[in-house]
Amino acid sequence: MSKKQAPAYGGQALIEGVMFGSRDHTVTAIRRKDSSLDYFYLPKKQKPLAQKLKKIPFIRGIVALIESAGIGSRHLTFASERYDVMPGEEVEQAPEETSKLTMILGVAAVGVLSFLFGKFAFTLVPVFLAQLFESIASGKTAQILLESFFKLVLLLGYVSLISMTPLIKRVFKYHGAEHKVINAYENGLPLTVENVQAQSRLHYRCGSSFLLFTVIVGMFIYFLVPTDPLWLRIVNRILLIPVVLGVSFEVLQFTNSLRNIPVLKYLGYPGLWLQLLTTKEPEDDQVEVAIASFNRLLDIEEHGIENVEVVQPVADSSSSSVIQAN
């Protein structure tokens, strides 16, 4: 198969699985306790307002992040509740125990709030740390550089620390498998374990790259606003969070568009370097899960969800939680 211009697919590593998404669909495949595969499907509901906002530069990134946090949390819940349970032993919640609206809003809210809490902490803690060294690093430039340094240290330290736990280490391997599948697909290769394993575990559009860009972009944006007094610095950091996120998203998109251009491709390398921490080389069975997830997404796009077997959330299905393939 020759290399071709492929649609932009995204993904997310989960506990013992991988989620892939397109414009209208998201699918997860996980490895169960008995080594079988299980699938979960969630549609992307195209809300008119969100679709309009996604066309506006610097705003579209924030909308995409909020949407991803809500959808991703539901896939993560599915994976965490089923990966270590034998098929048939799942405890399903009765539909009448909670309203559909409560279920949808509740899970989405947890994902969004978790993201926002992490972003606030990641933004404000470095401010206070830099302020502690004001006596030896005074002045706006010194304080912003020190603040950015602490932010980078916190990011690298946090990622390095959690990567030492066995569970997260396996998630990072699935992260690598996710990238390898996307790279193989974008390079026009058949999705076999051998072809996928030969690909890089790094990818320009990764959320890890986005995190690093928020540090770099934020540093330059902070030079445009005052740092004194401390209360004003805290306020403008909070108010600038959506600005930093929006600009960082555009930078991520820009570096991705340059990845095949000599010299300019190096603009995206800082983000790729961070992925050396957030991804690990996957095992063959993990690559098999990622391939299965991506192939199931392609099947749904080609044949329609009504013709593909997946588990659907109760809130999105009428009579049965499983749609059988014809």
Side-chain angles (χ1 to χ4, degrees):
M1 190 185 299
S2 60
K3 188 172 181 179
K4 62 182 180 180
Q5 182 66 36
Y9 293 100
Q12 178 179 331
L14 306 169
I15 301 175
E16 294 302 329
V18 177
M19 181 270 282
F20 283 108
S22 62
R23 180 182 179 275
D24 300 308
H25 311 281
T26 59
V27 178
T28 281
I30 62 171
R31 181 78 71 182
R32 299 295 295 273
K33 191 174 182 179
D34 65 345
S35 296
S36 65
L37 295 181
D38 201 1
Y39 300 90
F40 176 74
Y41 170 76
L42 193 66
K44 278 188 179 179
K45 308 217 169 155
Q46 303 300 328
K47 299 177 181 177
L49 177 59
Q51 292 307 303
K52 291 180 180 179
L53 292 176
K54 284 183 181 180
K55 297 178 181 180
I56 305 175
F58 304 107
I59 294 179
R60 59 186 177 183
I62 300 172
V63 177
L65 286 171
I66 294 175
E67 180 182 75
S68 297
I71 292 176
S73 65
R74 299 187 70 183
H75 283 272
L76 180 59
T77 298
F78 169 82
S80 62
E81 289 179 347
R82 296 172 76 99
Y83 82 96
D84 62 345
V85 179
M86 293 294 288
E89 297 180 355
E90 302 90 347
V91 178
E92 300 289 351
Q93 184 180 35
E96 61 271 13
E97 292 181 10
T98 181
S99 70
K100 295 180 180 180
L101 181 60
T102 299
M103 181 188 300
I104 295 172
L105 294 181
V107 176
V110 168
V112 174
L113 290 176
S114 297
F115 171 78
L116 291 177
F117 176 80
K119 184 56 186 170
F120 268 73
F122 183 67
T123 299
L124 297 182
V125 169
V127 171
F128 294 108
L129 291 176
Q131 186 69 18
L132 293 176
F133 293 87
E134 189 178 26
S135 60
I136 59 176
S138 59
K140 180 176 182 177
T141 299
Q143 277 290 292
I144 290 177
L145 291 176
L146 193 58
E147 178 184 338
S148 301
F149 169 75
F150 281 128
K151 188 178 292 187
L152 182 60
V153 170
L154 284 174
L155 174 61
L156 298 179
Y158 173 74
V159 172
S160 299
L161 184 63
I162 64 173
S163 68
M164 295 179 184
T165 64
L167 179 62
I168 299 302
K169 188 177 294 184
R170 284 194 61 80
V171 172
F172 283 179
K173 286 186 177 182
Y174 277 108
H175 192 190
E178 172 216 328
H179 286 180
K180 283 173 175 280
V181 167
I182 292 293
N183 282 327
Y185 178 78
E186 291 181 343
N187 286 327
L189 298 173
L191 297 182
T192 64
V193 172
E194 182 179 9
N195 285 341
V196 171
Q197 284 286 39
Q199 302 301 304
S200 171
R201 74 178 200 260
L202 312 180
H203 197 284
Y204 275 77
R205 289 198 310 271
C206 178
S208 302
S209 298
F210 174 77
L211 288 177
L212 186 61
F213 283 137
T214 62
V215 176
I216 300 172
V217 169
M219 180 181 68
F220 287 105
I221 290 178
Y222 296 157
F223 278 116
L224 304 177
V225 296
T227 56
D228 293 313
L230 179 60
W231 69 266
L232 181 58
R233 185 175 180 179
I234 293 173
V235 169
N236 66 45
R237 292 299 183 269
I238 294 174
L239 295 178
L240 286 172
I241 285 177
V243 177
V244 172
L245 293 176
V247 175
S248 298
F249 181 84
E250 299 302 325
V251 171
L252 181 67
Q253 298 293 95
F254 180 65
T255 57
N256 179 62
S257 69
L258 301 176
R259 61 178 171 165
N260 295 317
I261 301 177
V263 180
L264 295 180
K265 67 180 182 180
Y266 296 112
L267 292 173
Y269 271 37
L272 298 181
W273 293 335
L274 181 58
Q275 291 176 44
L276 294 174
L277 291 178
T278 63
T279 65
K280 303 294 182 184
E281 286 293 335
E283 300 166 15
D284 285 352
D285 64 333
Q286 293 174 310
V287 169
E288 290 174 355
V289 175
I291 292 174
S293 177
F294 192 71
N295 280 337
R296 193 57 56 101
L297 175 63
L298 296 181
D299 286 343
I300 290 172
E301 292 202 309
E302 182 177 355
H303 303 294
I305 180 58
E306 65 277 1
N307 298 312
V308 180
E309 183 179 356
V310 287
V311 175
Q312 285 196 303
V314 174
D316 293 310
S317 58
S318 53
S319 57
S320 173
S321 63
V322 177
I323 292 182
Q324 299 292 343
N326 288 345

